Amino acid sequence: MKTTLDDCRVIELPRIWERRGSLTPITGGDQVPFEIQRVYYLYDVPGGENRGGHAHRALQQLLVSIMGAFDVVLDDGGNKKTVRLQRAYYGLFVPTMIWRELVNFSSGGICLVLASALYDEADYIRDYDQFLRCKNGGGAEPGTYTG
Ligand code: T46
């Protein structure tokens, strides 16, 4: 299946608000449309620095701004859109084969990432021209990768 920007969506997460503060539980296969195999977070991002700049062949992820804010620039090879994440109870679902860049981090911004698989460098496409070739039928789509 060729993913498009329409497959990327913001998911509202549960928010248990109390006078003592708020709590957001996240359950794989429930709020998140995949089983969670890995969690990591991006933090101490210096002003003006960007993260990402790649696509994943098979990995699906949910990105949450658990502190501060940042923009996610999504690109399906034909169109781009920018999603600003700034609340701990909204997650951005990014499916396979979508180029993403995380930009405009606020000071102290932290991005929590829930991922559908363990870290595997072979799953990354870090070259934009290669990404476009794959999206436009000139290269292997997920599942046929022979790398
Ligand atoms: C993504 C964006 C949002 C590991 O050893 N294990 C891991 O689980 C990850 C994610 C990374 N690494 C190593 C690989 C590199 O040597 O950490 C180093 C930095 O990784 P990378 O340049 O891929 O970091 P980002 O912030 O550009 O991208 C990361 C994720 O890799 C990526 O999947 O979607 O965050």
Side-chain angles (χ1 to χ4, degrees):
M1 183 188 79
K2 283 207 173 182
T3 51
T4 70
L5 294 183
D6 289 341
D7 299 306
C8 305
R9 63 184 191 274
V10 173
I11 295 172
E12 185 165 1
L13 301 166
R15 183 187 185 196
I16 302 171
W17 183 88
E18 295 180 30
R19 188 182 48 79
R20 298 177 295 158
S22 297
L23 185 155
T24 289
I26 305 179
T27 309
D30 186 358
Q31 295 96 7
V32 184
F34 53 81
E35 289 300 327
I36 299 163
Q37 294 286 330
R38 177 168 51 113
V39 175
Y40 63 92
Y41 33 96
L42 305 171
Y43 57 103
D44 289 347
V45 179
E49 284 292 346
N50 302 332
R51 305 294 306 209
H54 54 254
H56 284 283
R57 299 172 192 280
L59 191 72
Q60 304 172 77
Q61 300 196 114
L62 188 85
L63 279 52
V64 184
S65 175
I66 56 168
M67 179 71 78
F70 54 86
D71 293 328
V72 187
V73 183
L74 300 164
D75 179 346
D76 63 9
N79 294 292
K80 291 186 186 187
K81 76 173 175 187
T82 299
V83 177
R84 184 150 186 85
L85 293 178
Q86 53 191 345
R87 297 279 181 245
Y89 51 90
Y90 285 120
L92 174 63
F93 172 64
V94 183
T96 63
M97 291 298 286
I98 297 289
W99 191 270
R100 86 291 311 270
E101 292 186 19
L102 281 60
V103 302
N104 297 328
F105 274 86
S106 65
S107 176
I110 301 177
C111 173
L112 174 74
V113 184
L114 309 179
S116 65
L118 303 182
Y119 173 71
D120 176 9
E121 185 58 36
D123 187 65
Y124 285 73
I125 300 176
R126 295 187 184 271
D127 180 271
Y128 188 69
D129 289 337
Q130 183 188 4
F131 168 69
L132 289 181
R133 285 195 300 275
C134 290
K135 289 301 273 188
N136 296 323
E141 281 289 314
T144 61
Y145 174 60
T146 55

